[in-house]
Amino acid sequence: MLMRTDPFREMDRIVQQLSGTSGTWSKPSVMPMDAYREGDAYVIAFDLPGVSTEAIDIDVERNMLTVKAERRPATKSDTVQMELSERPLGVFSRQLVLADTLDTERIQADYEAGVLTLRIPIAERAKPRKISIGGEADRKQISG
């Protein structure tokens, strides 16, 4: 149901983790995610711990889903001396191409405990359905 738009994005994420660089608006870091089907919906969960809901931006244009978020450093006074800083800061982004079988008009977004969860329903036209076979009476009307 999903297609990655940049095959080298995972490599960039690993390099950023090893080098300790933060994402910027022009070159954002990748946010980890899970994607799975649950019943009649497709679910995508993004890890965004420490990000406020105001700093998350979700856009859908045609079948392209874009999620961006920004984690800023906590404001500190001049008397604070940082001893260790391992939590990633900066801009995080993920773009996914959604299949035509998903209903992008009815996406639901929830954010709880640092996890952004998107639920995208399967479009009605993509669900399996039975096709009835007409009887002889139907055939006579067509040919007559």
Side-chain angles (χ1 to χ4, degrees):
M1 291 280 179
L2 297 175
M3 190 173 90
R4 292 181 188 223
T5 57
D6 184 359
F8 300 103
R9 191 103 188 200
E10 186 67 18
M11 188 66 118
D12 287 343
R13 183 186 66 78
I14 292 169
V15 169
Q16 284 179 344
Q17 281 182 337
L18 294 175
S19 66
T21 58
S22 298
T24 63
W25 282 105
S26 61
K27 186 147 177 69
S29 298
V30 175
M31 63 187 82
M33 67 170 238
D34 291 335
Y36 54 93
R37 184 172 176 167
E38 184 177 58
D40 284 342
Y42 207 73
V43 180
I44 307 170
F46 299 93
D47 279 352
L48 294 170
V51 176
S52 68
T53 55
E54 296 81 29
I56 300 172
D57 186 36
I58 307 166
D59 288 316
V60 175
E61 185 175 336
R62 297 187 185 185
N63 287 5
M64 179 68 71
L65 172 71
T66 304
V67 178
K68 278 194 174 185
E70 184 175 11
R71 183 181 308 123
R72 295 186 174 130
T75 56
K76 298 173 184 68
S77 68
D78 293 337
T79 60
V80 173
Q81 181 178 345
M82 183 61 80
E83 296 293 328
L84 180 65
S85 180
E86 293 182 344
R87 298 185 312 156
L89 301 173
V91 179
F92 302 86
S93 178
R94 200 73 185 247
Q95 279 193 318
L96 304 168
V97 177
L98 303 176
D100 291 333
T101 57
L102 298 176
D103 187 352
T104 58
E105 298 293 322
R106 300 185 325 163
I107 296 175
Q108 296 176 342
D110 294 308
Y111 186 63
E112 185 177 339
V115 178
L116 172 66
T117 304
L118 302 180
R119 299 185 72 76
I120 309 169
I122 306 294
E124 288 297 321
R125 69 183 185 283
K127 293 180 184 175
R129 60 193 178 281
K130 291 285 186 187
I131 307 296
S132 61
I133 300 172
E136 292 225 4
D138 292 334
R139 281 189 231 135
K140 287 181 184 175
Q141 288 177 343
I142 294 171
S143 62

